[in-house]
C-alpha cells in the first residue's frame, strides 16, 4: 500500500481492462473515420487544404505508409477558405462535434486555434507562428462517419453563408 497505493475498485479494474482490450478496434475506427473525413474535406470547395498524411498529395504520405501502415491517426487539421472569421463561425456551428482543445476522445473534437488558443496574436503573428487564420484542428471520433461529415458540412455551410 505504501509503495504502489491502494488497489482499484473492482468496477474500475473491469472498465480499465475493457478499455485496454478494445483499444485496437477503437483506434481502427478512429483511423477509418479520419480517412473518410479527410477525403471528404479534400474534395470540398470550401476547404483550402487538408493536412493529413494519409492523403496522397500530402508531402509525408510515403513516410506515413512506411511508419504507420495501419493509418496515420485521427488528429489532423484543415484550412477553411475565408480565414479567421469563417473558422470561428465554423467552430460555433458544429452540433455533433465538441469544441474542445483536447484530443483522442471517443467523440469528434474540433478547435480553431486562431480564435482560441492563439487569439491574442495578430494575423501576421499567426502566420509567422505557422497557425494559419483559417486552420481548424480535428480529432475524429468513432461516431458514424456519415454523421461526422453531415455535421462538418452543415457547419461549413453556415460559416460560409455568414462570412
Amino acid at each position: 500500500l505504501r509503495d504502489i497505493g491502494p488497489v482499484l475498485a473492482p468496477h474500475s479494474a473491469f472498465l480499465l481492462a475493457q478499455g485496454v482490450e478494445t483499444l485496437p478496434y477503437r483506434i481502427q475506427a478512429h483511423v477509418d473515420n479520419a480517412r473518410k473525413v479527410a477525403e471528404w474535406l479534400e474534395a470540398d470547395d470550401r476547404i483550402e487544404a487538408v493536412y493529413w498524411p494519409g492523403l496522397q498529395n500530402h508531402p509525408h504520405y510515403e513516410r506515413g505508409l512506411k511508419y504507420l501502415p495501419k493509418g496515420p491517426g485521427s488528429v489532423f487539421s484543415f484550412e477553411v477558405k475565408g480565414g479567421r472569421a469563417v473558422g470561428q463561425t465554423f467552430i460555433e456551428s458544429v452540433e455533433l462535434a465538441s469544441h474542445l482543445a483536447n484530443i483522442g476522445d471517443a467523440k469528434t473534437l474540433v478547435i480553431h486555434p486562431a480564435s482560441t488558443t492563439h487569439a491574442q496574436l495578430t494575423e501576421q503573428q499567426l502566420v509567422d507562428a505557422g497557425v494559419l487564420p483559417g486552420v481548424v484542428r480535428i480529432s475524429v471520433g468513432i461516431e458514424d462517419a456519415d454523421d461526422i461529415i453531415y455535421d462538418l458540412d452543415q457547419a461549413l455551410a453556415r460559416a460560409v453563408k455568414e462570412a
Side-chain angles (χ1 to χ4, degrees):
L1 181 65
R2 181 188 57 120
D3 293 338
I4 61 172
V7 297
L8 287 172
H11 190 252
S12 297
F14 166 76
L15 292 174
L16 180 63
Q18 189 86 353
V20 170
E21 291 167 356
T22 61
L23 186 61
Y25 304 105
R26 289 183 286 120
I27 294 298
Q28 193 59 57
H30 281 286
V31 172
D32 292 346
N33 280 353
R35 180 172 310 286
K36 291 174 187 172
V37 169
E39 289 172 351
W40 179 82
L41 286 166
E42 184 181 44
D44 195 293
D45 290 340
R46 300 166 292 188
I47 302 300
E48 190 73 38
V50 179
Y51 308 104
W52 187 64
L55 296 173
Q56 290 185 355
N57 66 353
H58 191 277
H60 301 295
Y61 175 74
E62 294 299 326
R63 281 193 186 117
L65 289 177
K66 180 178 178 180
Y67 296 113
L68 304 163
K70 293 185 178 182
S74 62
V75 179
F76 62 93
S77 61
F78 59 93
E79 185 179 356
V80 295
K81 290 181 180 175
R84 184 181 250 182
V86 173
Q88 186 170 356
T89 303
F90 168 80
I91 291 295
E92 294 166 356
S93 301
V94 293
E95 295 174 0
L96 173 74
S98 293
H99 179 202
L100 295 168
N102 54 310
I103 58 172
D105 200 319
K107 65 179 289 164
T108 299
L109 312 173
V110 292
I111 192 164
H112 178 245
S115 64
T116 56
T117 58
H118 295 70
Q120 74 281 6
L121 301 178
T122 66
E123 295 290 327
Q124 187 57 51
Q125 289 171 325
L126 286 169
V127 172
D128 291 346
V131 181
L132 300 173
V135 164
V136 172
R137 187 187 71 208
I138 185 168
S139 175
V140 181
I142 59 173
E143 306 96 341
D144 184 83
D146 290 338
D147 290 343
I148 298 168
I149 290 169
Y150 177 86
D151 189 36
L152 299 177
D153 185 41
Q154 67 80 26
L156 280 167
R158 198 174 302 169
V160 169
K161 180 181 176 187
E162 292 183 19

